[in-house]
Amino acid sequence: TQAKTLFPYTTLFRSLLIKNCMTEEAKPFSKTRAFFWPIYRYELKKLIPMLLLFFFILFNYTVLRDTKDTLIITAPNSGAEAIPFLKVYGVLPGALIFMFIYAKMSNALSKPALFYATVTPFILFFALFSLILYPNREFLHPVALCDWMQAHLSDGFMGLIAIIRNWTFSLFYIMSELWGSVCLSLLFWGFANDITKVNESKRFYNLFGLGANLSLFFAGTFIIWASNLRTTLNVADPWQVSLDILMLVVVASGLIILAIYWWINKYVLTDPRFYDSSAQKQLKEDKPKLSLKESLKFLLSSKYLGCIAILVIAYGMCINLIEVTWKSQLKLQFPNPNDYSAFMGQFSRITGIVTMLMMFFVTGNVVRKLGWKVAALITPVVLLITGGLFFTFMLFNEHLAAQVTLFGTTPLWLAVIFGMSQNIMSKSAKYSLFDPTKEMAYIPLSQELKVKGKATVDVVGARFGKSSGAFIQQFLIITLGSISAMAPYIGIFLGVIILLWIIAVISLDKKFKIAITEKEKSEKLST
């Protein structure tokens, strides 16, 4: 009788004893904690510096993205028409040159040295631009030559002439575009994929984006403050003051990035709980070093990487086709560079808020509950719906002018708002779902494919996607003469590209499931 009476308490005591004797990583999460914070306490040593690294890289990316558009679109005798030409004749060649140099450096340098050697030239350039290139732009820009070209060529070539006329701004645009592809897509995500285990990635990656996208809010707020300084300054060129402040913070943020990366290598990657350096070293020794030509052949033979490349290229094409049309309307609404920059800061701030909400309530739960395929399909579907609405308004805005006036606004301002809403939703979907799912797809790959394959797909693939979209726009601008005239054709191209994107996601999902199963089996055998 006494044993029967004590049995429930004995069972409870035994369960508590087993639970307390478990290692921290073996203890299961409660449902509430699994939803909001699926992280063990000891993992903060790894998670927090990775969050900070992503924060500052994305902070710079946001500031540079908004600043490069402001410089090019509001420059003298320039506009959104210059962007397609710049992506084809500037950004794509720059990405190809970088890939060639990066492939050579990856064979000769260690991973930390490769990171430092890649980030440092960006920091030096942005400091040089603020101190030397922009203050001397009137002396450096070939204004007379470009005036002669504009007098002898049709209006369709205005964008091409603009990138020559303002070549220092064009160089800034190229370096800013490469920062996003190189430092964000290649260096950070390559580093994260290299040091993150499969079971960690399912819990870490949505938190990487959630914490890092706080930078969109802070960067947007900072851009608004720097751009509105002209109201308190009595100087000849208030935009130069704003630009100097923006670049000063970009350089300081770049130095912080190098310091955080050094700290992670010094104190995190030496901890066996987070990183097995001997296994990675052996894996690297077992893989042959390939030349650039051999790397491209190797990548072309991989259907898995081919599917990832289609995703990256399709996103680049879609976002470029929509953004240029929207920015042409934005230039008409905000011709002053400070006003344009302040609006872009507000756009980035709202994007950060929406993205954080999506990452907090959508990303992790979609991946865990609905699977990789559903999460990867959301971005193209969002682009299809919001892009379709934007181009529909662009086509019929003249017929709606009378109705729009009744609401106390103009068709131009409404086009700006429609375009901003579309861009916010597409970028939020990219940061919260497209990037995490794409990076998860790299995890089961070999070390060689992660380094050189990722460099080719993320740097050249992303640039090729945007440049392809830009080439389509460039052809239509020369043929039709203006961005507004090409809007119907852009809408058709957008639909076709998104259809191919969806097919690639479905194909990659099958390959990803097989690869991740094999990866998890190998990890279990090694432990």
Side-chain angles (χ1 to χ4, degrees), residues 2 196 233 352-353 358 382 418 459:
Q2 187 177 6
T196 306
L233 297 175
I353 295 172
M358 287 187 65
V382 167
F418 263 85
V459 179

Side-chain angles (χ1 to χ4, degrees), residues 120-173:
T120 302
F122 285 98
I123 298 174
L124 294 175
F125 171 79
F126 294 125
L128 179 69
F129 182 83
S130 177
L131 296 174
I132 298 176
L133 295 182
Y134 186 83
N136 296 284
R137 62 193 180 281
E138 294 181 359
F139 173 75
L140 295 171
H141 290 172
V143 177
L145 172 64
C146 292
D147 287 341
W148 179 86
M149 294 173 64
Q150 195 161 344
H152 291 80
L153 295 174
S154 65
D155 292 339
F157 289 94
M158 187 189 80
L160 179 61
I161 298 171
I163 66 175
I164 301 173
R165 179 190 300 273
N166 304 290
W167 70 267
T168 61
F169 299 175
S170 300
L171 187 58
F172 183 93
Y173 190 100

Side-chain angles (χ1 to χ4, degrees), residues 193 196-203 205 304 308 367 371-373 436-446 450 507-525:
N193 293 339
T196 306
K197 301 174 184 178
V198 174
N199 66 328
E200 289 177 337
S201 69
K202 295 177 181 179
R203 296 177 291 113
Y205 276 17
Y304 190 98
I308 299 178
V367 175
W372 184 91
K373 182 172 72 173
T437 52
K438 173 175 68 71
E439 299 307 326
M440 285 178 68
Y442 282 111
I443 291 175
L445 296 180
S446 66
K450 281 183 181 179
S507 176
L508 181 59
D509 177 62
K510 298 177 182 177
K511 297 177 175 62
F512 177 68
K513 289 177 179 177
I514 296 172
I516 207 71
T517 302
E518 294 176 353
K519 177 79 172 179
E520 289 176 340
K521 286 181 179 178
S522 64
E523 285 186 354
K524 288 180 180 179
L525 291 174

Side-chain angles (χ1 to χ4, degrees), residues 60-61 64-66 68-69 72 83 86-88 90-92 94-95 122 125-126 169-185 316 319-320 323 327 427 458-459 462-467:
N60 273 5
Y61 172 69
L64 294 172
R65 181 193 64 198
D66 294 349
K68 70 179 175 60
D69 288 340
I72 288 294
I83 294 178
L86 192 51
K87 288 184 182 293
V88 173
V91 177
L92 181 59
F122 285 98
F125 171 79
F126 294 125
F169 299 175
S170 300
L171 187 58
F172 183 93
Y173 190 100
I174 294 168
M175 292 295 290
S176 300
E177 283 276 314
L178 288 179
W179 174 274
S181 296
V182 173
C183 297
L184 182 60
S185 298
I319 202 67
N320 188 63
E323 273 192 346
K327 288 173 182 175
K427 289 185 183 300
D458 282 4
V459 179
R463 295 309 97 195
F464 179 78
K466 291 187 177 181
S467 299

Side-chain angles (χ1 to χ4, degrees), residues 334-347:
F334 300 106
N336 181 275
N338 284 86
D339 294 336
Y340 188 101
S341 180
F343 180 86
M344 292 303 294
Q346 185 66 28
F347 162 75

Side-chain angles (χ1 to χ4, degrees), residues 200-256:
E200 289 177 337
S201 69
K202 295 177 181 179
R203 296 177 291 113
F204 281 18
Y205 276 17
N206 62 310
L207 294 176
F208 283 169
L210 179 63
N213 277 283
L214 282 169
S215 65
L216 283 173
F217 177 82
F218 286 106
T221 303
F222 170 66
I223 292 168
I224 294 171
W225 173 79
S227 301
N228 288 334
L229 277 178
R230 71 189 181 101
T231 58
T232 60
L233 297 175
N234 186 17
V235 294
D237 187 1
W239 171 237
Q240 181 168 354
V241 177
S242 299
L243 182 65
D244 290 341
I245 295 173
L246 291 170
M247 291 305 101
L248 175 63
V249 174
V250 165
V251 171
S253 181
L255 296 176
I256 293 173

Side-chain angles (χ1 to χ4, degrees), residues 46-61:
K46 182 177 185 178
L47 178 64
I48 290 177
M50 290 297 292
L51 284 173
L52 290 173
L53 185 64
F54 199 6
F55 177 94
F56 285 104
I57 290 175
L58 193 57
F59 181 93
N60 273 5
Y61 172 69

